[in-house]
């Protein structure tokens, strides 16, 4: 540390100043015994610098002792205190830094100098007593704080602002000063009082807690307003890029030239976390295994009520309590509207086909891989386990495996994230239901199949071609997942999500389903095989597809897409959740009246279709009577809420759950619990869906929350969407089995609860 500017530094090795002529004459007179002459010379007056305060006149001090005694204690060369102080501080003032240790030579010279000046130091200490009087005067002038400016240029210490500087080991430990740090000393400190009391620190703590609460709330509210206003939002707020530290373990030269800049080149991956980045071109069923570790373990279990992965799950006896990961590997506009909000209506960006075509191959790959990496992470699988789920249904589309001429989809990148997702599920003891959500040509013409519009699967000119392509894809997929590593984790294998059998030839769909199931069994895959009910009604499947081992009928049960069911009031909707779904499940389980094994692959607590983009991008709602369509059988142009009037409004349905009335929250919770109870009379259920960017009544994400147990008194994690989710607002069970309504008690009338919002 450099010396302060108001001190004069002196090299400890520099010799003392030469004695003056007057000093020599005095010494000669003393030797001859000649009396000293009185001083006739007037001392020079020191010229004050512009920055230096005028120096006060010294108060004459009373001399004590005889002249001879004073001469005996006077230094032979009558050195000034300034020179003595300079030598006094040579232990820390070097030509470089005050914290540098002195060399051995310098220390030797310093010891010699100290012996020579030992008496002089005592003399200086005596003189400093004189200045103690002035210190008292100074403190009377300045009260409360001692202003540094008034003493900045003093050459001698006044005893208050001076701090002893220390060299050597203490300086190395950061203790270069003997006094307190800071520019001033308060009057309270001089009196020994504490500057801040307990009340002060308690106040600071309270303010910090309040800021921790209200700042994130402000962020959430602002984000919600942005979402509702059509701006790009997102459930994943982490904008940072992955570190990809594991790439340091390999070299780019490990990737052969023919694999560079392909999906097999780890250096082109956006995210490498938890992937094995060692290059391999090994494939099973024509599907790459790159990214997988060579070992795995199936000893984890989701919770205390279910068996570990390596133990048998008795389907039909143990209810499935599962969750969908919708909108992740198969894009769905109402789940991730931020991918679509940036486009104008006349651009027609309404599904993954038009989105990827608009972006182009390079931008589409970059945009969607970032979405795959961030929308669902390991933390989500952990939270799913903690919420009481034991299964996850993972929708994915055929372009995870391959694409065909003319397809704009991003090929094969989602495959890698699907495999990583399965490994995360394994880690947390969650069994997986694989769901092929989008088939070549589109099996239903809805946006979540990849392409909205006409159905080109088993239908139209390319219908047979796309049917065979779908079977080829199942050949690859079932061969891959028949590996030993997947026998305990992939327990349900879906053939086709929601084939629209109201528009397809039923016999064609049944024949295709039979062929697909046979392919799966031929591959050696032992998982249960799920096929969709096609919206025909569960009783229509009685006697169909019998004789194929391990088939299970997958029903998707919603009341909001049917104008007659959405018009039911709250009491009747809740009764239907308890009696309607229970009756259908029981009927389907009985092979005399239905197919047999049945599960509910999708359902929601939503009682309106008000969520933006739920009925397609830019479409209206049945609730308000604004659903436009070129198909008259689909269009709904009169309000269908229970009041069936112009009062039907989506404003409150799309509000923050924190703004819901207590009565409405109670109804939503009971509606969810009633449906869970009904579907568990069959094989169980998968809620749609885990997380969205803002679809209030479709978002089950648990995460960590600032609710009162309090994302925390408990403080937030980066994902603020937790405030929108059901669990954080008391409209969904905190644990899937933790319910206080199971359809055995009477349903109240919910008087006062609005039927039009």
């Amino acid at each position: 540390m450099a010396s302060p500017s108001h001190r004069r530094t002196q090299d400890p090795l520099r010799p003392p100043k030469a004695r003056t002529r007057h000093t020599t004459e005095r010494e000669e007179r003393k030797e001859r015994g000649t009396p000293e002459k009185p001083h006739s010379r007037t001392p020079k007056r020191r010229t004050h610098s512009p920055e230096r305060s005028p120096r006060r006149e010294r108060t004459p001090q009373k001399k004590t002792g005889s002249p001879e005694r004073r001469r005996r204690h006077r230094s032979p060369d009558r050195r000034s205190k300034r020179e003595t102080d300079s030598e006094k501080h040579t232990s820390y003032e070097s030509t470089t830094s005050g914290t540098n240790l002195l060399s051995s030579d310098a220390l030797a010279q310093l010891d010699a100098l100290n012996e020579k000046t030992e008496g002089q130091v005592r003399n200086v200490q005596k003189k400093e007593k004189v200045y103690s009087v002035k210190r008292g005067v100074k403190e009377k002038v300045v009260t409360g704080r001692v202003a540094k400016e008034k003493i900045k240029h003093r050459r001698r210490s006044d005893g208050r602002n001076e701090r002893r500087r220390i060299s050597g080991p203490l300086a190395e430990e950061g203790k270069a000063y003997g006094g307190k740090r800071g520019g001033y000393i308060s009057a309270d400190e001089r009196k020994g009082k504490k500057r801040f009391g307990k009340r002060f620190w308690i106040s600071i703590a309270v303010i910090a807690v309040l800021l921790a609460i209200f700042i994130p709330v402000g962020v959430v509210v602002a984000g919600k307003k942005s979402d509702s206003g059509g701006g790009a939002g997102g459930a994943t707020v982490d904008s940072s890029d992955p570190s990809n530290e594991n790439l340091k373990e390999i070299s780019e030269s490990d990737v052969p030239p023919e694999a560079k800049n392909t999906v097999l080149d780890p250096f082109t991956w956006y995210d490498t976390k938890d992937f094995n980045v060692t290059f391999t071109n090994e494939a099973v069923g024509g599907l790459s295994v790159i990214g997988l570790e060579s070992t795995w373990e199936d000893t984890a279990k989701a919770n205390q009520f279910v068996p570990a992965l390596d133990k048998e799950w008795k389907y039909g006896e143990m209810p499935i309590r599962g969750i969908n990961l919708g909108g992740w590997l198969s894009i769905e506009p109402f789940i991730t509207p931020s991918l679509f909000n940036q486009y104008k209506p006349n651009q027609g960006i309404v599904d993954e086909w038009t989105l990827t075509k608009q972006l182009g191959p390079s931008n589409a790959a970059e945009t969607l891989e970032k979405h795959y990496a961030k929308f669902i992470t390991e933390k989500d699988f952990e939270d799913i386990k903690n919420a009481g789920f034991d299964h996850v249904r993972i929708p994915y589309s055929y372009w995870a495996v391959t694409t065909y001429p003319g397809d704009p989809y991003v090929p094969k990148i989602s495959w890698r994230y699907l495999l990583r997702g399965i490994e995360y599920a394994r880690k947390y003891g969650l069994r997986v239901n694989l769901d092929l959500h989008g088939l070549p040509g589109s099996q239903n013409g809805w946006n979540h199949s990849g392409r909205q519009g006409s159905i080109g699967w088993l239908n139209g000119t390319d219908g047979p071609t796309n049917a065979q392509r779908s079977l080829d894809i199942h050949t690859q997929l079932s061969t891959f997942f028949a590996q030993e590593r997947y026998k305990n984790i992939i327990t349900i294998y879906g053939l086709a999500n929601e084939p629209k059998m109201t528009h397809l030839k039923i016999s064609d769909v049944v024949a295709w389903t039979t062929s697909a199931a046979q392919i799966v069994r031929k591959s050696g895959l032992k998982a249960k095989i799920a096929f969709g009910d096609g919206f025909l009604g569960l009783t229509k499947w009685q006697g169909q597809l019998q004789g194929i081992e391990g088939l299970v009928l997958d029903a998707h049960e919603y009341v909001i897409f049917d104008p007659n069911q959405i018009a039911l009031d709250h009491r009747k909707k809740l009764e239907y959740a308890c009696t309607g779904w229970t009756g259908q499940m029981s009927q389907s389980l009985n092979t005399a009246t239905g197919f047999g094994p049945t599960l509910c692959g999708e359902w929601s607590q939503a009682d309106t279709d008000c969520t933006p983009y739920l009925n397609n991008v830019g479409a209206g709602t049945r609730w308000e009577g604004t659903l436009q369509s070129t198909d008259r059988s689909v269009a709904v142009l009169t309000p269908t809420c229970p009041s069936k009037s112009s009062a039907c409004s989506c404003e409150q349905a799309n509000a923050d759950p924190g703004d819901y009335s207590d009565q409405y929250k109670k109804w939503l919770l009971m509606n969810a619990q009633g449906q869970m109870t009904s579907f568990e009379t069959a094989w169980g259920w998968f809620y749609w869906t885990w997380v969205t960017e803002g679809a209030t009544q479709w978002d089950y994400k648990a995460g960590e929350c600032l609710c009162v147990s309090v994302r925390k008194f408990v403080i937030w994690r980066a994902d603020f969407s937790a405030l929108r989710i059901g669990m954080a607002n008391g409209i969904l069970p905190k644990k899937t089995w933790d319910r206080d309504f199971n359809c055995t008690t009477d349903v109240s009338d919910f008087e006062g609860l609005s039927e039009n919002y």
Side-chain angles (χ1 to χ4, degrees), residues 9-70:
T9 61
Q10 181 172 325
D11 193 328
L13 303 183
R14 183 175 177 180
K17 292 183 179 181
R19 289 178 292 177
T20 64
R21 177 174 57 85
H22 300 288
T23 303
T24 305
E25 290 178 352
R26 282 196 300 270
E27 290 179 355
E28 290 176 354
R29 284 195 299 270
K30 189 163 62 172
E31 291 175 1
R32 292 194 301 267
T34 305
E36 292 185 358
K37 296 180 181 180
H39 292 288
S40 59
R41 180 176 58 85
T42 303
K44 291 183 180 180
R45 294 191 62 185
R46 181 175 297 163
T47 303
H48 297 292
S49 68
E51 300 176 0
R52 182 176 294 127
S53 301
R55 188 166 180 179
R56 296 187 180 186
E57 295 297 329
R58 291 191 180 182
T59 303
Q61 303 295 319
K62 182 179 180 180
K63 295 183 180 180
T64 59
S66 65
E68 183 62 27
R69 183 171 181 175
R70 288 198 300 273

Coordinates of all heavy atoms in Angstrom, one line a residue, residues 9-70:
T9 N 7.9 10.3 3.0 CA 8.5 9.0 3.0 C 10.0 9.1 2.9 O 10.5 10.0 2.3 CB 8.0 8.1 1.9 OG1 8.3 8.7 0.6 CG2 6.5 7.9 2.0
Q10 N 10.7 8.2 3.5 CA 12.2 8.2 3.5 C 12.7 6.8 3.4 O 12.2 5.9 4.1 CB 12.7 8.9 4.7 CG 14.3 8.9 4.7 CD 14.8 9.8 5.9 OE1 14.1 10.7 6.2 NE2 15.9 9.4 6.4
D11 N 13.6 6.6 2.5 CA 14.2 5.2 2.3 C 14.9 4.9 3.6 O 15.8 5.6 4.1 CB 15.2 5.3 1.1 CG 15.6 3.9 0.7 OD1 15.7 3.0 1.6 OD2 15.8 3.7 -0.5
P12 N 14.7 3.7 4.2 CA 15.3 3.3 5.4 C 16.8 3.2 5.2 O 17.6 3.2 6.2 CB 14.7 2.0 5.8 CG 14.1 1.5 4.5 CD 13.7 2.7 3.7
L13 N 17.3 3.0 4.0 CA 18.8 2.8 3.8 C 19.5 4.1 3.5 O 20.7 4.2 3.3 CB 19.0 1.8 2.6 CG 18.3 0.4 2.8 CD1 18.7 -0.4 1.6 CD2 18.8 -0.2 4.1
R14 N 18.7 5.2 3.4 CA 19.3 6.5 3.0 C 19.9 7.1 4.3 O 19.3 7.1 5.4 CB 18.2 7.4 2.5 CG 18.6 8.7 2.1 CD 17.5 9.5 1.5 NE 17.9 10.8 1.1 CZ 17.0 11.7 0.6 NH1 15.8 11.4 0.3 NH2 17.4 12.9 0.2
P15 N 21.1 7.6 4.2 CA 21.8 8.2 5.4 C 21.1 9.5 5.9 O 20.4 10.1 5.1 CB 23.2 8.5 4.9 CG 23.1 8.7 3.4 CD 22.0 7.7 3.0
P16 N 21.3 9.8 7.1 CA 20.6 11.0 7.7 C 21.2 12.2 7.0 O 22.3 12.2 6.4 CB 21.0 11.0 9.1 CG 21.5 9.6 9.4 CD 22.0 9.1 8.2
K17 N 20.4 13.3 7.1 CA 20.8 14.6 6.4 C 22.1 15.1 7.1 O 22.4 14.9 8.3 CB 19.7 15.7 6.6 CG 18.5 15.3 5.8 CD 17.5 16.5 5.9 CE 16.3 16.2 5.1 NZ 15.3 17.3 5.2
A18 N 23.0 15.8 6.3 CA 24.2 16.4 6.8 C 23.9 17.5 7.8 O 22.9 18.2 7.7 CB 25.0 17.0 5.7
R19 N 24.8 17.6 8.8 CA 24.6 18.6 9.9 C 24.9 20.0 9.3 O 25.8 20.2 8.5 CB 25.4 18.3 11.1 CG 24.9 17.1 11.9 CD 25.8 16.8 13.0 NE 27.1 16.3 12.6 CZ 28.1 16.1 13.4 NH1 28.0 16.2 14.7 NH2 29.3 15.6 12.9
T20 N 24.2 21.0 9.8 CA 24.4 22.3 9.3 C 25.6 23.0 10.0 O 26.1 22.5 11.0 CB 23.1 23.2 9.6 OG1 22.9 23.3 11.0 CG2 21.9 22.5 9.0
R21 N 26.0 24.2 9.5 CA 27.1 25.0 10.1 C 26.8 25.3 11.5 O 27.6 25.3 12.4 CB 27.3 26.2 9.3 CG 28.4 27.1 9.8 CD 28.7 28.3 8.9 NE 27.5 29.0 8.6 CZ 27.0 30.0 9.4 NH1 27.7 30.3 10.5 NH2 25.9 30.7 9.1
H22 N 25.5 25.7 11.8 CA 25.1 26.1 13.2 C 25.3 25.0 14.1 O 25.7 25.1 15.3 CB 23.7 26.6 13.2 CG 23.5 27.8 12.3 ND1 24.0 29.1 12.6 CD2 22.8 27.9 11.1 CE1 23.7 29.9 11.6 NE2 22.9 29.2 10.7
T23 N 24.9 23.8 13.7 CA 25.1 22.6 14.6 C 26.5 22.4 14.9 O 26.9 22.1 16.1 CB 24.5 21.4 13.9 OG1 23.1 21.6 13.6 CG2 24.6 20.1 14.8
T24 N 27.4 22.5 13.9 CA 28.9 22.3 14.1 C 29.4 23.3 15.1 O 30.2 23.0 16.0 CB 29.6 22.4 12.8 OG1 29.0 21.5 11.9 CG2 31.1 22.1 13.0
E25 N 29.0 24.6 14.9 CA 29.5 25.7 15.8 C 29.1 25.4 17.3 O 29.9 25.6 18.2 CB 29.0 27.0 15.4 CG 29.6 27.5 14.0 CD 29.1 28.8 13.6 OE1 28.1 29.3 14.2 OE2 29.6 29.4 12.6
R26 N 27.8 25.0 17.4 CA 27.3 24.7 18.8 C 28.1 23.6 19.4 O 28.5 23.6 20.6 CB 25.8 24.3 18.8 CG 24.9 25.5 18.6 CD 23.5 25.1 19.0 NE 23.0 24.1 18.1 CZ 22.4 24.3 16.9 NH1 22.2 25.5 16.5 NH2 21.9 23.3 16.2
E27 N 28.5 22.6 18.7 CA 29.3 21.5 19.2 C 30.7 21.9 19.6 O 31.2 21.5 20.6 CB 29.3 20.3 18.2 CG 28.0 19.6 18.0 CD 28.1 18.5 17.0 OE1 29.2 18.4 16.4 OE2 27.1 17.8 16.8
E28 N 31.3 22.8 18.8 CA 32.6 23.3 19.1 C 32.6 24.1 20.4 O 33.5 24.0 21.2 CB 33.2 24.1 17.9 CG 33.5 23.3 16.7 CD 33.9 24.1 15.6 OE1 33.9 25.4 15.7 OE2 34.3 23.6 14.5
R29 N 31.6 25.0 20.5 CA 31.5 25.9 21.7 C 31.3 25.0 23.0 O 31.8 25.3 24.0 CB 30.3 26.8 21.6 CG 30.6 28.0 20.7 CD 29.6 29.1 20.9 NE 28.2 28.7 20.6 CZ 27.7 28.8 19.3 NH1 28.5 29.3 18.3 NH2 26.5 28.4 19.1
K30 N 30.5 23.9 22.8 CA 30.3 23.0 23.9 C 31.6 22.3 24.4 O 31.8 22.1 25.6 CB 29.2 22.0 23.6 CG 28.7 21.2 24.8 CD 27.4 20.5 24.5 CE 27.5 19.5 23.4 NZ 26.3 18.7 23.3
E31 N 32.4 22.0 23.4 CA 33.7 21.3 23.7 C 34.6 22.3 24.4 O 35.4 21.9 25.3 CB 34.3 20.8 22.5 CG 33.6 19.6 21.9 CD 34.2 19.1 20.6 OE1 35.2 19.8 20.2 OE2 33.7 18.2 20.0
R32 N 34.6 23.6 24.0 CA 35.5 24.6 24.6 C 34.9 25.1 25.9 O 35.6 25.9 26.7 CB 35.7 25.8 23.7 CG 36.5 25.4 22.4 CD 37.0 26.6 21.7 NE 35.8 27.5 21.3 CZ 35.3 27.4 20.1 NH1 35.7 26.5 19.2 NH2 34.3 28.2 19.9
G33 N 33.6 24.8 26.2 CA 33.0 25.4 27.4 C 32.5 26.8 27.2 O 32.3 27.5 28.2
T34 N 32.4 27.3 26.0 CA 32.0 28.7 25.7 C 30.5 28.7 25.8 O 29.8 27.9 25.2 CB 32.5 29.1 24.3 OG1 33.9 28.9 24.2 CG2 32.1 30.6 24.0
P35 N 29.9 29.7 26.5 CA 28.4 29.8 26.6 C 27.8 30.0 25.2 O 28.4 30.6 24.3 CB 28.2 31.0 27.5 CG 29.5 31.2 28.2 CD 30.6 30.7 27.3
E36 N 26.6 29.4 25.1 CA 25.9 29.6 23.8 C 25.4 31.0 23.6 O 24.9 31.6 24.6 CB 24.7 28.6 23.7 CG 25.2 27.2 23.6 CD 24.0 26.3 23.4 OE1 22.8 26.8 23.4 OE2 24.2 25.1 23.3
K37 N 25.4 31.5 22.4 CA 24.9 32.8 22.1 C 23.4 32.7 21.8 O 23.0 31.7 21.3 CB 25.6 33.4 20.9 CG 27.1 33.6 21.0 CD 27.7 34.2 19.8 CE 29.2 34.4 19.9 NZ 29.8 35.0 18.7
P38 N 22.7 33.8 22.3 CA 21.3 33.7 21.9 C 21.1 33.8 20.4 O 21.9 34.4 19.7 CB 20.8 35.0 22.6 CG 22.0 35.9 22.8 CD 23.2 35.0 23.0
H39 N 20.0 33.1 20.0 CA 19.7 33.1 18.5 C 19.3 34.5 18.1 O 18.4 35.2 18.6 CB 18.5 32.2 18.3 CG 18.9 30.8 18.5 ND1 19.7 30.1 17.7 CD2 18.5 29.9 19.5 CE1 19.9 28.8 18.1 NE2 19.1 28.7 19.2
S40 N 20.1 35.0 17.1 CA 19.7 36.3 16.5 C 19.0 36.1 15.2 O 18.4 37.1 14.7 CB 21.0 37.1 16.3 OG 21.9 36.4 15.4
R41 N 19.0 34.9 14.7 CA 18.3 34.7 13.4 C 16.9 34.3 13.6 O 16.5 33.5 14.4 CB 19.0 33.5 12.7 CG 18.4 33.2 11.3 CD 19.2 32.1 10.6 NE 19.2 30.9 11.4 CZ 18.2 30.0 11.3 NH1 17.2 30.2 10.6 NH2 18.4 28.9 12.0
T42 N 16.1 35.0 12.8 CA 14.6 34.7 12.9 C 14.3 33.5 12.0 O 14.7 33.5 10.8 CB 13.8 36.0 12.4 OG1 14.2 37.1 13.2 CG2 12.3 35.7 12.4
P43 N 13.6 32.5 12.6 CA 13.3 31.3 11.8 C 12.5 31.7 10.6 O 11.6 32.6 10.6 CB 12.5 30.4 12.7 CG 12.9 30.9 14.1 CD 13.1 32.4 13.9
K44 N 12.7 30.9 9.5 CA 11.9 31.2 8.3 C 10.4 30.8 8.6 O 10.2 29.8 9.2 CB 12.4 30.3 7.1 CG 13.8 30.8 6.6 CD 14.2 29.9 5.4 CE 15.5 30.3 4.9 NZ 15.9 29.5 3.7
R45 N 9.6 31.6 8.0 CA 8.1 31.2 8.1 C 7.8 30.3 6.9 O 8.2 30.5 5.8 CB 7.3 32.5 8.0 CG 7.4 33.4 9.1 CD 6.4 34.5 9.1 NE 5.0 33.8 9.2 CZ 3.9 34.6 9.1 NH1 3.9 35.8 8.8 NH2 2.8 33.9 9.2
R46 N 7.1 29.3 7.3 CA 6.7 28.3 6.3 C 5.6 28.8 5.4 O 4.7 29.4 5.9 CB 6.2 27.0 7.0 CG 5.9 25.9 6.0 CD 5.5 24.7 6.7 NE 6.6 24.2 7.5 CZ 6.5 23.3 8.4 NH1 5.4 22.8 8.8 NH2 7.6 22.9 9.1
T47 N 5.8 28.7 4.1 CA 4.8 29.1 3.2 C 3.7 28.0 3.1 O 4.0 26.9 2.8 CB 5.4 29.4 1.8 OG1 6.4 30.3 1.9 CG2 4.3 29.9 0.8
H48 N 2.5 28.5 3.3 CA 1.4 27.5 3.3 C 1.0 27.2 1.8 O 0.8 28.1 1.0 CB 0.1 28.0 4.0 CG 0.4 28.3 5.4 ND1 0.6 27.2 6.3 CD2 0.5 29.4 6.2 CE1 0.8 27.7 7.5 NE2 0.7 29.0 7.5
S49 N 0.8 25.9 1.5 CA 0.3 25.5 0.2 C -1.2 25.9 0.2 O -1.9 26.0 1.2 CB 0.4 24.0 0.0 OG -0.4 23.3 0.8
P50 N -1.8 26.0 -1.0 CA -3.2 26.4 -1.1 C -4.1 25.3 -0.5 O -5.2 25.6 0.0 CB -3.5 26.4 -2.6 CG -2.1 26.6 -3.2 CD -1.2 25.9 -2.3
E51 N -3.7 24.0 -0.3 CA -4.5 23.0 0.2 C -4.3 22.8 1.7 O -5.1 22.2 2.4 CB -4.2 21.7 -0.5 CG -4.4 21.7 -2.0 CD -4.0 20.4 -2.6 OE1 -3.6 19.5 -1.9 OE2 -4.2 20.3 -3.8
R52 N -3.2 23.5 2.3 CA -2.9 23.2 3.7 C -3.6 24.3 4.6 O -3.6 25.4 4.3 CB -1.4 23.3 3.9 CG -1.0 23.0 5.3 CD 0.5 23.0 5.4 NE 1.1 21.9 4.7 CZ 2.0 22.0 3.7 NH1 2.5 23.2 3.4 NH2 2.5 21.0 3.1
S53 N -4.2 23.8 5.6 CA -4.8 24.7 6.6 C -3.8 25.5 7.3 O -2.7 25.0 7.6 CB -5.6 23.8 7.6 OG -6.6 23.1 6.9
P54 N -4.1 26.7 7.6 CA -3.1 27.5 8.4 C -2.7 26.8 9.7 O -3.5 26.3 10.4 CB -3.8 28.8 8.7 CG -4.9 28.8 7.7 CD -5.3 27.4 7.4
R55 N -1.4 26.9 10.0 CA -0.9 26.2 11.1 C -1.1 27.1 12.4 O -0.8 28.3 12.3 CB 0.6 25.9 10.9 CG 1.1 25.0 12.0 CD 2.4 24.4 11.6 NE 3.0 23.6 12.6 CZ 4.1 23.0 12.5 NH1 4.8 23.1 11.4 NH2 4.6 22.2 13.5
R56 N -1.6 26.5 13.4 CA -1.8 27.3 14.6 C -0.4 27.5 15.3 O 0.5 26.7 15.3 CB -2.7 26.5 15.6 CG -4.1 26.3 15.0 CD -4.9 25.6 16.1 NE -6.2 25.4 15.6 CZ -7.2 25.0 16.3 NH1 -7.0 24.8 17.6 NH2 -8.4 24.8 15.8
E57 N -0.4 28.6 16.0 CA 0.8 29.0 16.8 C 0.9 28.1 18.0 O -0.2 27.7 18.6 CB 0.7 30.4 17.3 CG 0.8 31.4 16.1 CD 2.1 31.4 15.4 OE1 3.1 31.0 16.0 OE2 2.1 31.7 14.2
R58 N 2.1 27.6 18.3 CA 2.2 26.7 19.4 C 2.1 27.5 20.7 O 2.5 28.6 20.9 CB 3.6 26.1 19.5 CG 3.8 25.1 18.3 CD 5.1 24.3 18.6 NE 5.3 23.4 17.6 CZ 6.3 22.5 17.6 NH1 7.2 22.6 18.5 NH2 6.5 21.7 16.6
T59 N 1.4 26.9 21.7 CA 1.3 27.4 23.0 C 2.6 27.2 23.7 O 3.1 26.1 23.8 CB 0.2 26.8 23.8 OG1 -1.0 26.9 23.0 CG2 0.0 27.4 25.2
P60 N 3.2 28.3 24.2 CA 4.5 28.1 24.9 C 4.4 27.1 26.1 O 3.4 27.2 26.8 CB 4.8 29.5 25.5 CG 4.0 30.4 24.6 CD 2.8 29.7 24.2
Q61 N 5.3 26.2 26.1 CA 5.3 25.2 27.2 C 6.3 25.5 28.3 O 7.3 26.1 28.0 CB 5.6 23.8 26.6 CG 4.7 23.4 25.4 CD 3.3 23.2 25.9 OE1 3.1 22.6 27.0 NE2 2.3 23.7 25.2
K62 N 5.9 25.2 29.5 CA 6.8 25.5 30.6 C 7.9 24.5 30.6 O 7.7 23.3 30.5 CB 6.0 25.3 31.9 CG 6.8 25.7 33.1 CD 5.9 25.5 34.4 CE 6.7 25.9 35.6 NZ 5.9 25.7 36.9
K63 N 9.1 25.0 30.7 CA 10.3 24.2 30.7 C 10.6 23.7 32.1 O 10.5 24.5 33.1 CB 11.5 24.9 30.1 CG 11.4 25.3 28.7 CD 12.6 26.0 28.2 CE 12.4 26.3 26.7 NZ 13.6 27.0 26.2
T64 N 10.9 22.5 32.2 CA 11.3 21.9 33.5 C 12.7 21.4 33.5 O 13.2 21.0 32.5 CB 10.3 20.8 33.8 OG1 10.4 19.8 32.8 CG2 8.8 21.3 33.9
G65 N 13.3 21.4 34.6 CA 14.6 20.9 34.8 C 15.7 21.9 34.4 O 15.4 23.0 33.8
S66 N 16.9 21.7 34.8 CA 18.0 22.6 34.5 C 18.4 22.6 33.0 O 18.1 21.6 32.3 CB 19.2 22.2 35.4 OG 19.7 21.0 35.0
P67 N 19.1 23.6 32.6 CA 19.6 23.6 31.2 C 20.5 22.5 30.9 O 20.5 21.9 29.8 CB 20.3 25.0 31.0 CG 19.7 25.8 32.1 CD 19.3 24.9 33.2
E68 N 21.3 22.1 31.9 CA 22.2 21.0 31.7 C 21.5 19.7 31.5 O 21.8 18.9 30.6 CB 23.1 20.9 32.9 CG 24.2 19.8 32.8 CD 25.1 20.1 31.7 OE1 25.3 21.3 31.3 OE2 25.7 19.1 31.1
R69 N 20.4 19.5 32.2 CA 19.6 18.2 32.1 C 18.9 18.2 30.7 O 18.8 17.2 30.1 CB 18.5 18.2 33.2 CG 17.7 16.9 33.2 CD 16.8 16.8 34.4 NE 16.1 15.6 34.4 CZ 15.3 15.1 35.4 NH1 15.3 15.8 36.5 NH2 14.7 14.0 35.3
R70 N 18.4 19.3 30.3 CA 17.8 19.4 29.0 C 18.8 19.1 27.9 O 18.5 18.4 26.9 CB 17.1 20.8 28.7 CG 15.9 21.0 29.6 CD 15.0 22.1 29.0 NE 15.8 23.4 28.9 CZ 15.8 24.2 30.0 NH1 15.2 23.9 31.1 NH2 16.5 25.3 29.8

